[in-house]
Amino acid sequence: MNASPSTAAPAPPARSTSPTDRTRRWAAVAALLFVPAAVAAGVLTLASERAGRCLTYGEQCAPGLPGGLFAWSAGAGAVALLVAVAAPAVRVRQAALTAQVLAEGTALLVILSHA
C-alpha cells in the first residue's frame, strides 16, 4: 500500500493545561492557610519567655517586627498568588506557586524570629 501524505493521521492538538494540574488550587490553599499560620506563629511568639516578660513586667520589649522584610515577603507572596492563578502556562504557574510558598514561609519565619 502506498501511503500518501494527505492520509497521514493529524497530530493531536496541543493542550495548554493538564487535567491533573492543580497549581491554581494549591496556590489558593496556600494563601488561605497563610492567615491561620501567621496567627499561630504570633501566638507562639507571645508564648515565649521574652514576650511574657514584656507583657507582665514591661521588660525586654523589642520594638516590633522587621516591617520591611515582612511586608516584602507578604507582598511577594500575594504577587506570586496572582501569577499562579492567572498565568496560562503550567510552568509559569508552578514557578509562581514555588515562589509563593517560599515568600509565605519567609514571612512566617520573620514572625517566629521575633520571639
Side-chain angles (χ1 to χ4, degrees), residues 2-101:
N2 193 0
S4 65
S6 62
T7 61
R15 292 190 297 184
S16 62
T17 60
S18 170
T20 59
D21 179 45
R22 294 186 175 98
T23 53
R24 289 181 173 124
R25 180 177 296 149
W26 283 113
V29 167
L32 289 174
L33 290 179
F34 175 69
V35 175
V39 170
V43 169
L44 286 175
T45 299
L46 290 176
S48 70
E49 181 181 346
R50 189 174 76 176
R53 291 190 69 78
C54 179
L55 291 174
T56 306
Y57 304 112
E59 300 173 355
Q60 298 180 356
C61 295
L65 284 177
L69 183 58
F70 179 77
W72 174 85
S73 58
V79 169
L81 168 67
L82 292 176
V83 172
V85 171
V90 175
R91 292 182 76 96
V92 173
R93 286 197 311 263
Q94 290 171 344
L97 176 61
T98 302
Q100 176 189 355
V101 170

